[in-house]
Amino acid sequence: MSDPKRVVIIGGVAGGMSAATRLRRLDPTASITVLERSGNVSFANCGLPYFVGGLIEEEEDLILQTPQQLFERFRLDVHVNSEVVGIDPSAHQVEVRSTIDGEVTTIAYDALILSMGAAPVRPPIPGYERAATLRTVEDAALLAAAAGRGANAVVIGAGFIGLEVTENLIEQGLSVTLVEAAPQVLPPLDPEMAITLVDELERHGVRVEVGVGVIEITEDEVVLADGRRLRADLVVGAIGVRPDVRLAEAAGLAIGPKGGIAIDEVNLTSDPSIYAVGDATEKVDAVSQASSLIALANIANRQGRRVADHIAGLVTRTPPSLGTAIVKVFDVVAASVGWSEKRLAETDRSYQAIHSHPFDHATYYPGATRMSAKLIYDTDDLGILGAQIVGQNGVDKRIDVIATAMAAGIKADELADLELAYAPPFSSAKDPVNMLGYMAENISSGSCEVVTANEVDGLVADGWKLVDVRTPGEVALGTIDGAVNIPVDELREHLAEFGEDPIMVFCAVGQRGHTAAALLSELGKKVRNLDGGYVTWTAWQRASSLSSH
């Protein structure tokens, strides 16, 4: 009988523990050792901001499994406070140093799995060492304690973690300023979609500063690049993360073009005995098919499972990554999948972006709230390239439907054909996802031509007549400069006023504008409808104004 296979896993949490527990289920005899440099090997890292905010009250609630529990259930040999300081691929050994007493030992392996994750970006800004980061339970405990001692906080970075930390510091009663060097919050979204988050942040008392960097952190202030100084009892750095590849590089493993560990279709590195999973690795991007860095827990979990399958001799698969993500900012939820329009605009790919503003469920049923949805698809084959949704309710299920459609190769217009669950408390007979499909179908078939918010001024300068087809009451609350108000129900009576000029029509969200455009087109007029209507145009204007400050 052969000796048990020796598998060593560097790093726990999502990828490492998924690999360890899956492998134990597949191989009851394998020797499985997990080495974790922090004090906890299995914890809810995505729950850390909510511990800082007090929503998760006890530190123990973040701990999913202890080393003792993992031994009792899975016979895993788990070592916390154990940092791997070197890998010897030729000898199939790792060198481990205790972070408690400094003792160094070596452990042999037949298969090694790297799950080191990503490290917070710490830029060379004077005083940045004062900025707290949030990656471990220990980090969360320190930050929660610091929040209880301060009155003013500055959060640097308005990505997913920065937004969650900001919300939770507000919940702790601090005065918070959120600083982002990019011209918008939540940079993975397009500006007109992210502007709603700025409104929500400011509604809860957050001071938002975008388009400005930090040049220094002093004992009690954060100094901005424009010279302004922000009072800061507490500073949190949430600029982003980069793959932790130090061990991999020292071991001579190949590093990919994006700076992550290069892996093949079964997660093997350039060494045939070493696998890598999680945030430290490069993944295949589903839109570009190129190498990319996507740091998400569900991908790490999936990779860990697939590595265990491969070690156990099973056939595995590694689909490309969509980068599906979601965040809650007080009462607003923002989600995205695939690529943004601004990212696509930097390529030579032909695409169409459409906006809608549906309600999350039937408006006659109490409590309906409006969401903003954006779908981006390839104009050549109608393949879905990305989507973004922002709203209060129902955002998660709509982005998940679109992510599933992307994974299945469903085209943009085919979203109209999806049979989705409907009852008045949950949706409308035409679900918001179906509506995006109908819109894509109308545009791709040529039955409706649209104009985007940033094209309006140029077309007006070229002689297009701008017509607001909303009611006078709506127009009184605001309209686009130069627009003529003719309600959609009165268009027929005003045909003579249009002459031969091409026409741009718009309403609140695009639906009445579509009706108006169809009518005018049938009557021989050259007409285009403003995509997403006045709501999208206003969001685009506000986002443009914010980014120019």
Side-chain angles (χ1 to χ4, degrees), residues 189-197 355 372-374 388-390 539:
L189 266 62
D190 287 313
E192 79 280 10
M193 301 298 291
I195 193 67
T196 299
L197 299 175
H355 297 76
S372 295
K374 181 174 186 177
Q388 300 162 39
I389 305 177
V390 180

Side-chain angles (χ1 to χ4, degrees), residues 191 195 539-549:
I195 193 67
W540 181 80
Q541 288 283 332
R542 291 169 52 232
S544 299
S545 175
L546 184 67
S547 66
S548 64
H549 287 167

Side-chain angles (χ1 to χ4, degrees), residues 54-332:
L55 186 64
I56 298 174
E57 296 181 357
E58 301 297 332
E59 186 175 325
E60 292 76 18
D61 293 336
L62 295 169
I63 310 302
L64 304 179
Q65 297 282 344
T66 66
Q68 181 63 30
Q69 290 170 326
L70 289 165
F71 177 78
E72 291 173 355
R73 178 166 298 181
F74 297 105
R75 290 302 186 264
L76 302 179
D77 186 15
V78 177
H79 300 263
V80 295
N81 300 308
S82 299
E83 182 177 13
V84 175
V85 294
I87 301 170
D88 186 342
S90 59
H92 281 216
Q93 291 182 340
V94 297
E95 187 174 292
V96 188
R97 181 175 60 210
S98 168
T99 61
I100 303 297
D101 59 19
E103 181 182 356
V104 176
T105 58
T106 59
I107 300 176
Y109 66 83
D110 298 308
L112 179 65
I113 304 173
L114 308 182
S115 179
M116 287 93 64
V121 173
R122 301 194 72 89
I125 296 173
Y128 198 85
E129 63 276 3
R130 188 179 155 226
T133 55
L134 192 59
R135 292 293 290 175
T136 66
V137 174
E138 292 88 346
D139 291 340
L142 290 172
L143 185 53
R149 297 191 297 267
N152 300 281
V154 174
V155 178
I156 306 172
F160 290 97
I161 298 299
L163 290 172
E164 290 177 342
V165 169
T166 295
E167 174 185 349
N168 283 282
L169 291 178
I170 287 287
E171 296 294 342
Q172 289 284 48
L174 277 73
S175 175
V176 182
T177 300
L178 179 62
V179 179
E180 171 58 57
Q184 65 171 86
V185 301
L186 201 58
L189 266 62
D190 287 313
E192 79 280 10
M193 301 298 291
I195 193 67
T196 299
L197 299 175
V198 175
D199 296 338
E200 185 69 2
L201 289 162
E202 292 179 342
R203 189 171 73 86
H204 284 82
V206 178
R207 176 180 172 183
V208 180
E209 299 287 349
V210 298
V212 61
V214 172
I215 60 171
E216 185 183 2
I217 300 174
T218 70
E219 184 178 344
D220 56 7
E221 290 182 321
V222 168
V223 184
L224 302 182
D226 58 13
R228 288 179 295 158
R229 307 177 79 91
L230 305 175
R231 176 73 184 177
D233 304 312
L234 172 65
V235 181
V236 180
I239 295 175
V241 296
R242 60 167 56 98
D244 187 346
V245 298
R246 292 170 297 174
L247 282 174
E249 284 185 308
L253 302 181
I255 304 300
K258 300 295 185 181
I261 302 172
I263 55 174
D264 65 10
E265 65 277 3
V266 295
N267 289 83
L268 271 172
T269 68
S270 55
D271 184 297
S273 298
I274 303 178
Y275 299 83
V277 300
D279 296 354
T281 67
E282 295 195 0
K283 293 91 175 171
V284 176
D285 181 272
V287 174
S288 68
Q289 299 302 311
S291 189
S292 65
L293 294 174
I294 301 176
L296 293 171
N298 54 4
I299 297 176
N301 270 306
R302 184 178 69 213
Q303 287 181 318
R305 178 184 177 92
R306 297 308 179 208
V307 164
D309 289 349
H310 192 259
I311 292 174
L314 301 181
V315 176
T316 67
R317 62 185 185 276
T318 304
S321 297
L322 293 165
T324 313
I326 191 167
V327 65
K328 183 184 82 70
V329 182
F330 299 106
D331 297 323
V332 171

Side-chain angles (χ1 to χ4, degrees), residues 480-544:
I480 301 175
D481 288 345
V484 176
N485 179 216
I486 305 175
V488 63
D489 296 334
E490 301 174 18
L491 281 176
R492 290 177 177 83
E493 287 76 30
H494 291 267
L495 286 177
E497 300 175 16
F498 292 116
E500 299 301 319
D501 293 336
I503 306 163
M504 274 187 294
V505 295
F506 69 93
C507 63
V509 298
Q511 190 169 1
R512 282 173 291 172
H514 174 65
T515 300
L519 170 63
L520 292 171
S521 180
E522 289 170 2
L523 295 172
K525 301 297 183 182
K526 182 178 181 180
V527 59
R528 294 171 70 178
N529 181 29
L530 177 59
D531 169 56
Y534 185 67
V535 172
T536 294
W537 181 87
T538 302
W540 181 80
Q541 288 283 332
R542 291 169 52 232
S544 299

Side-chain angles (χ1 to χ4, degrees), residues 439-477:
M439 293 169 65
E441 184 180 84
N442 288 339
I443 295 170
S444 63
S445 68
S447 64
C448 176
E449 292 189 41
V450 295
V451 57
T452 61
N454 63 330
E455 294 176 319
V456 171
D457 290 345
L459 290 178
V460 169
D462 289 340
W464 285 64
K465 185 183 293 288
L466 187 57
V467 180
D468 187 337
V469 299
R470 298 176 298 161
T471 65
E474 292 173 280
V475 173
L477 299 176

